[in-house]
Amino acid sequence: MSRLRVGVLISGRGSNLQALIDACADPAFPAEIVVVLSNQADAFGLTRATEAGIKTVVVDHREFEDRPTFEAAMTEMLEQHGVQLVCLAGFMRLLTEGFVGHWRDRLINIHPSLLPAFKGLDTHARALAAGVRITGCTVHYVREEMDSGPIIIQAAVPVLPDDTEDTLAARVLAAEHRIYPEALGLVGSGKTQVVAERVAIDAGAPEDFLVNPSDRHI
Ligand code: GRF
């Protein structure tokens, strides 16, 4: 079985990267991580990748005169490794139309909210301020507008009365670590297709992928 060749872009601690690494450790998983690219040389995710025996590359955005040249360098690096799908996992640079267009429908992201609610940074603080009872996380194909694009999987997470930003973030992060590998599994096995800017999932029987129907909306 040939596995989908994945490049993961990170900027920091890389806990979602770790969830993807763990999933890909199963030889039956339909994707493999062939390179981890960080724009920050001290990102802890690079250590995780190295420990897993995965090639790492640093492309420091500060060494480029503008975003397009930075992104062109990333694309070149990814293509050198034969990357077929790019996963953003806590990558903290906005991407321009050039990069997003080049990787269209081959570029996915995870965001810690139920998009389209709470795009951008400080997600959990804004969810708490809004008083929502339910938040969650989203894996989606990337479009040029920040935190937008066809949704692959979402998980709902309750907001509890005593939550702080930290406790809520931790609860959502646990859900992120479940759904990102699951979304990658769907994409890797060719079960997702973007049709009219929605994701059609060919998953056979729904129970195949509704592992935990009580907290999941697909
Ligand atoms: C996660 O909450 C992810 O949803 C967001 O950035 C955070 C990255 O965390 N895009 P980590 O580096 O994967 O631990």
Side-chain angles (χ1 to χ4, degrees):
M1 180 188 71
S2 83
R3 309 169 86 194
L4 189 72
R5 295 176 66 82
V6 174
V8 183
L9 267 50
I10 61 165
S11 298
R13 71 185 163 183
S15 70
N16 278 288
L17 165 67
Q18 188 67 56
L20 299 180
I21 289 173
D22 293 346
C24 292
D26 177 354
F29 193 74
E32 62 176 324
I33 302 171
V34 293
V35 65
V36 171
L37 189 156
S38 175
N39 66 309
Q40 301 283 1
D42 61 355
F44 182 63
L46 292 171
T47 306
R48 297 178 190 269
T50 303
E51 279 174 4
I54 298 168
K55 173 84 188 289
T56 62
V57 179
V58 175
V59 181
D60 185 339
H61 59 280
R62 289 162 295 202
E63 289 171 9
F64 296 85
E65 66 187 34
D66 54 20
R67 282 184 200 272
T69 50
F70 164 59
E71 293 173 354
M74 290 200 295
T75 289
E76 191 184 332
M77 207 42 92
L78 293 164
E79 289 183 339
Q80 269 178 23
H81 289 83
V83 165
Q84 297 167 298
L85 178 81
V86 180
C87 292
L88 305 179
F91 182 68
M92 301 304 285
R93 304 298 299 169
L94 290 175
L95 295 165
T96 72
E97 191 182 0
F99 188 88
V100 172
H102 181 88
W103 293 98
R104 189 179 173 91
D105 296 346
R106 301 182 297 151
L107 174 62
I108 65 177
N109 179 46
I110 187 153
H111 183 75
S113 74
L114 290 175
L115 292 174
F118 308 121
K119 296 178 177 183
L121 298 174
D122 301 323
T123 322
H124 304 301
R126 287 184 290 126
L128 289 172
V132 295
R133 301 286 190 203
I134 294 173
T135 184
C137 49
T138 304
V139 181
H140 63 99
Y141 285 99
V142 173
R143 294 295 182 255
E144 194 190 344
E145 188 201 327
M146 181 188 60
D147 296 328
S148 75
I151 290 168
I152 303 169
I153 297 185
Q154 294 184 303
V157 173
V159 180
L160 302 181
D162 294 336
D163 265 338
T164 63
E165 240 183 284
D166 287 348
T167 59
L168 182 56
R171 194 174 310 118
V172 172
L173 193 64
E176 294 182 46
H177 297 164
R178 285 204 314 274
I179 68 166
Y180 211 175
E182 214 171 323
L184 180 57
L186 289 173
V187 174
S189 55
K191 289 179 175 166
T192 59
Q193 205 190 342
V194 181
V195 181
E197 289 302 85
R198 303 234 177 154
V199 177
I201 296 181
D202 168 17
E207 45 290 4
D208 287 353
F209 59 97
L210 277 174
V211 177
N212 189 358
S214 62
D215 70 359
R216 172 85 61 68
H217 304 264
I218 292 183

